[in-house]
Amino acid sequence: MLEKNFLEKKDNSDLEAKRVIEYYFRPRLTHDLSQDMTENNQFDLDNFRASHNDWTPDENYYFSVPKKGEDKKFSGVEGLNVGWKIHLNSSPENVNTIFEYLKNNKYLFKYLAGGEPVDGKVFTLYIGDHSLTKKLSKEISVDLSTYLARPIDHTEIEFDRGVVGRFVGPKQNGFHQYGTCGFSLLNADMANNIYDKKEDNLDSEIRAFNILKNLYGERFFEIKD
């Protein structure tokens, strides 16, 4: 009886994960809201960084930590390395404006570090939980609509026009930092050349989704949208 109940519970959780993945995550990989946006004119990174040395403390990182009493833009799930992060793409001529906006609005972010402009990852913002990510994505999309460029990485989901992101799972639980539909997959699944077999990813996505949902609940995925 216990084994039967366990299997039924697993079957139910797998079905729910499949439903959420197919109706929430996967449709957002095509970035439909951003299709009319301009492309990123490619950066000459060496020249750009050389001309913005005053911007680049700590090897191109800029962390803006909110002070007590200020609007909170970071809800940390487990520090910076676990939780939702979003990426913003931009052409070089608009980077100053976006940088100042993020700085003035107390976002926790880095730029031109880790990801590359060729992947549409000019700015990386660390947010944390799902509900806050949705809320801030709308604000960013409205406020920066004329300065953002079209997102490129279609393994990340679109939160709003010009704003995409993914949930990064914990390394200590066997998660890779990347995935295929908006959240990290397990290392064991990523090791199977998963990027070359898109049609085979659903089982891997279900496994990862269930673990992340059990670990973080609505901080990973909030049912209402």
Side-chain angles (χ1 to χ4, degrees):
M1 179 63 72
L2 288 176
E3 183 178 356
K4 181 181 179 182
N5 289 340
F6 172 79
L7 292 174
E8 287 177 350
K9 184 176 180 180
K10 182 180 183 303
D11 287 344
N12 289 337
S13 64
D14 285 355
L15 286 172
E16 176 63 13
K18 181 175 183 291
R19 184 186 70 81
V20 172
I21 289 166
E22 290 183 338
Y23 289 95
Y24 179 84
F25 284 90
R26 286 191 169 185
R28 286 166 169 77
L29 296 175
T30 54
H31 304 167
D32 292 347
L33 299 175
S34 306
Q35 290 303 309
D36 65 335
M37 301 183 77
T38 58
E39 294 183 358
N40 173 0
N41 299 321
Q42 291 302 308
F43 281 85
D44 180 335
L45 285 182
D46 290 337
N47 288 338
F48 185 83
R49 285 171 174 155
S51 64
H52 290 81
N53 283 333
D54 58 326
W55 274 22
T56 55
D58 193 22
E59 299 181 351
N60 303 311
Y61 283 76
Y62 183 90
F63 291 114
S64 177
V65 182
K67 297 177 182 177
K68 187 175 182 180
E70 292 179 330
D71 290 341
K72 193 171 185 182
K73 299 297 199 306
F74 175 67
S75 62
V77 174
E78 286 182 12
L80 292 178
N81 296 319
V82 176
W84 284 102
K85 62 171 66 175
I86 56 180
H87 288 110
L88 306 178
N89 194 13
S90 170
S91 294
E93 62 270 21
N94 293 323
V95 168
N96 284 317
T97 301
I98 296 172
F99 179 90
E100 291 301 323
Y101 171 88
L102 297 176
K103 178 181 176 182
N104 292 337
N105 284 281
K106 307 300 180 184
Y107 279 95
L108 191 59
F109 69 97
K110 65 182 182 181
Y111 66 96
L112 295 180
E116 295 291 345
V118 69
D119 298 319
K121 298 174 180 178
V122 178
F123 291 92
T124 301
L125 285 63
Y126 297 90
I127 308 297
D129 65 49
H130 190 228
S131 62
L132 184 61
T133 303
K134 291 188 294 183
K135 174 181 179 291
L136 296 179
S137 293
K138 291 182 184 298
E139 294 178 7
I140 291 168
S141 180
V142 170
D143 293 344
L144 296 177
S145 61
T146 59
Y147 303 105
L148 296 174
R150 186 189 309 158
I152 296 172
D153 187 349
H154 290 281
T155 67
E156 299 195 337
I157 64 169
E158 183 180 56
F159 279 97
D160 216 303
R161 186 173 182 272
V163 184
V164 299
R166 74 177 187 274
F167 187 98
V168 180
K171 288 183 178 180
Q172 67 269 25
N173 290 81
F175 279 92
H176 196 279
Q177 64 173 317
Y178 296 110
T180 53
C181 73
F183 51 85
S184 294
L185 296 184
L186 294 165
N187 284 317
D189 288 321
M190 290 295 288
N192 293 327
N193 297 318
I194 202 159
Y195 285 120
D196 298 325
K197 300 185 292 185
K198 290 290 186 185
E199 69 276 10
D200 296 332
N201 290 349
L202 185 57
D203 286 347
S204 299
E205 292 164 1
I206 289 172
R207 272 192 293 276
F209 180 93
N210 282 334
I211 295 173
L212 293 172
K213 194 71 169 71
N214 286 334
L215 285 172
Y216 303 113
E218 290 192 346
R219 303 193 76 182
F220 164 53
F221 175 71
E222 183 182 52
I223 297 296
K224 67 177 182 178
D225 183 39

